[in-house]
Amino acid sequence: MAYVITEGCTKDGACVDACPVDCIHPKKDDPAFEQAEMLHINPEECIDCAACVPVCPVSIIYALDEVPEPMKQYVERNAAYFMAK
Ligand code: SF4
């Protein structure tokens, strides 16, 4: 499966710190951080632990099968970020 960051990401970074497999990018020390509109979860590396969900200050991280309909575009947007790398 994978978790998905959706609309309203504030790039707070609490999720990055909580993730045990380091699959949320870009990180604050990444040159791409400043330009990034949001953070993304790599669906190939996410282990579905849900540790990022309760720490998100704006509660916009969802399990893939629970992403609200208006936010579905973010499933592709999270994955595409890593395909472009
Ligand atoms: Fe990382 Fe777990 Fe969140 Fe997946 S569900 S992004 S592995 S903290």
Side-chain angles (χ1 to χ4, degrees):
M1 203 169 67
Y3 277 67
V4 180
I5 299 175
T6 64
E7 190 167 281
C9 176
T10 60
K11 302 200 295 182
D12 168 84
C15 57
V16 174
D17 295 337
C19 181
V21 294
D22 219 9
C23 71
I24 306 177
H25 298 274
K27 295 184 179 181
K28 286 187 175 153
D29 60 359
D30 186 321
F33 183 84
E34 285 302 322
Q35 296 283 326
E37 283 179 34
M38 60 177 285
L39 304 185
H40 310 83
I41 293 173
N42 188 332
E44 301 285 329
E45 296 178 2
C46 175
I47 58 168
D48 301 331
C49 72
C52 53
V53 175
V55 300
C56 176
V58 285
S59 303
I60 48 94
I61 304 179
Y62 297 91
L64 182 60
D65 59 2
E66 291 172 0
V67 176
E69 198 58 42
M71 309 281 193
K72 292 278 193 210
Q73 58 164 306
Y74 286 91
V75 174
E76 181 57 29
R77 196 163 163 179
N78 278 248
Y81 179 79
F82 297 97
M83 281 189 261
K85 294 259 155 196

